[in-house]
Amino acid sequence: MKAWEFEVQKMAFTQAGMTLQMRVNEAIARAALQIEANAKLAIQNPPKTGRLYRRAGGRMHQASAPGEAPATDTGNLVNSGQTTRLGFADYAVSFSTPYAAALEFGTHNMAARPFLMPAVMKVASRLQEDISRAMSR
């Protein structure tokens, strides 16, 4: 094998590796954005089956029951959701209201109203398929 043949093959291998990395990064980015969207939809969409009560100003509010995603009231939780790119193929989906973690995991006074982990689970198998497909190309 001549030196230039080796370099051409090395370049082709490097190019293929970069293409694979880009496909995996794209799959992970899509998954992160889908997780955020699914979590927001779970919060915003009825039905909720918790307590029905009157808010200040006379407006009625249907709360979520334990185990259901939280019910939207002010919109602050949904509006605090964001997907952030931390690095190559590294994304974070977060909800930044002070009460987001208490809703997701519960407290000693309140049962959990999970919204983020169900969204992750909904996307996980699709992400595995997308990564497998990227690697088989």
Side-chain angles (χ1 to χ4, degrees), residues 20 23-24 129-137:
L20 174 60
R23 287 183 183 145
V24 169
E129 292 170 9
D130 287 351
I131 290 173
S132 294
R133 207 171 13 262
M135 294 178 73
S136 66
R137 287 183 181 177

Side-chain angles (χ1 to χ4, degrees), residues 49-112:
T49 61
R51 186 171 66 100
L52 184 63
Y53 61 94
R54 191 171 306 282
R55 300 278 295 155
R59 182 174 66 89
M60 296 302 290
H61 176 70
Q62 177 89 49
S64 59
E68 291 179 342
T72 293
D73 188 10
T74 64
N76 289 338
L77 179 61
V78 166
N79 290 331
S80 77
Q82 64 180 18
T83 299
T84 306
R85 183 177 183 193
L86 303 176
F88 191 79
D90 188 9
Y91 294 81
V93 178
S94 62
F95 287 78
S96 60
T97 58
Y99 51 87
L103 288 168
E104 179 72 19
F105 302 110
T107 68
H108 65 282
N109 292 323
M110 179 189 71

Side-chain angles (χ1 to χ4, degrees), residues 112-133:
R113 268 73 174 170
F115 59 96
L116 194 51
M117 278 309 296
V120 170
M121 298 309 293
K122 195 172 185 178
V123 172
S125 62
R126 173 70 189 267
L127 176 58
Q128 289 175 332
E129 292 170 9
D130 287 351
I131 290 173
S132 294
R133 207 171 13 262

